[in-house]
Amino acid sequence: MNADRSLSRKSSSVDAEGVRSYRYADYIRNSGDLYISYNDLAPVIQYDADGHPLPYRPPALRLRLPEAARLLQPYASVRFVDQVSAVAPLAIYLALFQILILRQLVQDAWLVTAGMFAVIVGLMLFLEGLKIGLMPFGTAIGEQLPRKLALPLVLIITLMLGIGVTFAEPAIGALKMAGQIVSVERAPYLYALLNQWSDALVLVVGISVGLAAVIGTMRFLYGWSLKPLIFFSLIIAFVPTLYMAADPQLASVLGLAWDTGAVTTGPVTVPLVLALGVGISAAAGKGSGGLSGFGIVTLASLFPVAGVLFLALYVASVQSPAEIVEAARQSAALANMGVSAWYASSPGIEIMSGVRAILPLVIFLFLVLSFILRERLANQAEIFLGIGLTIAGICIFNLGLTYGLSMLGNSAGNLVPSAFMKIDDIVISPIYSYGIGLLLALVFAWFLGFGATIAEPALTALGMTAEELTNGIFKKKTLVMAVSTGVACGIALGLAKLIFDLSLVWLLAGSYAVAAILTLISSEAFVNVAWDSAGVTTGPVTVPLVLAMGLGFGNATEAIEGFGILCLASVGPIITVLISGLWSSYKSRLEAAQVNDQAQNLSILESAKGIS
Amino acid sequence: MKNSNITYFTDVVLITCVVAHGRGDEAIKAAQEAGVTGAIVYHARGSGVRERLGLLGIAVEVEKDVITAIAATSQRDLVMYSLYTKLGLDRPGAGVVYAMPLNKMATYIPADMRERLQTKVL
């Protein structure tokens, strides 16, 4: 570089003849620091024939390898530490609980550790890729689409985007993985939905999310209240639920259906769908309301329930349980017979599913941008890098899901019952007396939920929004505590459901009835925050862990299926947030009344003084 | 203007430090530990190096925190040194720190400090 040639020590000055001179005293005194004239670095500007300066174009900077490493090191380490702090406490908690309370070593400890590492690296790459690769599409489309197209077309694209983001959601992979643990004889329809029909399942969930996005966006546009929408979606979710609860074959699907709601609202869906929804209402000049942005998450976690239930009814009308068992046996025989293709076995299957999850969404966004908006994004190379990172991230995350999260969750689920009941594999079980062991298992579940939620970054963001929305009545800390308590109680309740074989329908009906009543008497702002908090909390680490734990637990306690924990973990925070919202508005009203009283007393006193 | 009774400080510099968004508090801590009373953080958007680095540019945050702090001239070098080393400005793309001379500065001066300063002046 230019500067290397003219390294000059302190205060070089240029005299009238252009001779550079240096003071020797400065050289001695400042031998630690270098002073370089910035003039030496300034580029030489070219002039055209008329003496006008030509625009200067800076050349690309080339960094040497060690320099590039120094540039990337803080960038990567910040993001790595972020994910470590999200994943590590949970993993350590699970491992310590197994070792200290259940006195069992973690099986395949090295494989699980490597898997957790893959989860951390995968999430890091995925989220960063999402930020630099997919988000620019989302904001560009969200800002411009509503201005260039008529509303019905925009809503159709919103619907299709809902499908695309659902496929790209990392936690969806956990659902498919859960299908491998389900026993086909005992829950044939559940098995069918998660195996032969798994793509249809994701598609239906995607369509439901898309519909939720459309209705949520229309809500922004026309300023509808969220309350009637909630009641409406509860009705369409509960009618098939109650119908199917009567049929023992179909009832096994209910847990899955209600859990999908929690699975869908993750790190891809929420920001992309929100960007479009908020963009549409902003283009219509209605984006300024404080509540814009809320509601889509709520609907996106309720609609899929109905969608999955209707799909199950359809499957039931096409296939009988016996046919499903037969088909499963055939496909198992087929898998055992020949050498399966590379993409049908691990790690090929994880990579394939990763690519299949992201590419359709990317292609869809790209087509919308280039053919409908006729736009080109700046920094194409950066966006391709981002997409590459997203795909690499989700592949690594899927690998970590198989070997880390699912394994750890499953083994924890398998082992926890040994605290209070006899498990075949564990000689010393039951480790504790029934009462103490049961209490330990429930306390374990409670703290798992609490710890997983309180660290969720999305929750802190929601807390700040809530504080602004309610003019500080609802403190950020209150919300975080309320949601964490709600999730914790929900997970503990879910575990209790598996242990005592409680009926999920009545648990759900009861808790949603409470939530509905609280909704009726709460103010609009609290309703928006409370129902959205349910979807926000279940991130890509919590969902697979809790799913796998529930399934393992279900296997060990010989429950028919281990689903249903997540949905109870979603309804829990709705209730706790609504209650704490009512409580804090009651308190603030009380305080206001007191202040009024005091003011009145004061004025009475003063007027009394005036008279005397 | 004549009897405005304002006590002006001289020998003050303004030290400005530009770092990636989110590191503002870190910078303030470094400055305060070097003896600066207070600092302001602005949220800003930078450009320049990021575009010229190609794909490596993703490591340079577009969103910036700009921290400005007033310091005595005698503090200048230490504050700049602290900011430079504690924020790792010797790394490519990490940020920049600069100092500017200020003509004069006035603010509230606590009573006991005013007394101490006046005895010193007299």
Side-chain angles (χ1 to χ4, degrees), chain A residues 66-251:
Chain A
E67 285 177 318
R70 282 177 71 72
L71 171 71
L72 289 173
Q73 191 259 320
Y75 169 74
S77 69
V78 167
R79 282 148 183 85
F80 187 73
V81 168
D82 274 354
Q83 297 310 323
V84 168
S85 58
V87 175
L90 275 182
I92 292 171
Y93 172 68
L94 280 180
L96 281 184
F97 190 83
Q98 285 192 25
I99 293 166
L100 297 180
I101 310 285
L102 304 176
R103 299 173 212 163
Q104 294 289 318
L105 285 178
V106 181
Q107 283 177 337
D108 299 318
W110 286 111
L111 199 59
V112 170
T113 313
M116 295 315 267
F117 188 73
V119 166
I120 291 169
V121 173
L123 268 184
M124 174 181 113
L125 294 178
F126 180 77
L127 292 179
E128 191 59 21
L130 206 62
K131 191 180 134 202
I132 57 181
L134 288 180
M135 278 307 147
F137 280 111
T139 31
I141 292 176
E143 278 171 11
Q144 303 193 7
L145 193 64
R147 274 183 238 146
K148 294 197 178 171
L149 277 185
L151 187 65
L153 288 172
V154 177
L155 291 180
I156 288 171
I157 288 174
T158 311
L159 179 73
M160 288 163 74
L161 184 76
I163 301 171
V165 291
T166 305
F167 273 92
E169 202 59 65
I172 284 286
L175 267 189
K176 293 185 183 169
M177 211 159 289
Q180 294 157 8
I181 317 177
V182 173
S183 125
V184 63
E185 282 86 9
R186 291 170 59 191
Y189 286 124
L190 184 61
Y191 181 86
L193 276 182
L194 288 170
N195 290 282
Q196 290 110 306
W197 293 82
S198 68
D199 287 332
L201 179 75
V202 181
L203 186 69
V204 165
V205 171
I207 292 171
S208 313
V209 171
L211 276 177
V214 168
I215 293 183
T217 306
M218 283 165 67
R219 178 183 108 85
F220 296 161
L221 282 179
Y222 303 116
W224 297 340
S225 160
L226 188 62
K227 287 183 190 180
L229 285 177
I230 289 176
F231 295 133
F232 166 73
S233 10
L234 280 180
I235 289 169
I236 60 162
F238 264 107
V239 167
T241 302
L242 294 176
Y243 169 74
M244 289 165 77
D247 184 339
Q249 292 285 5
L250 285 170

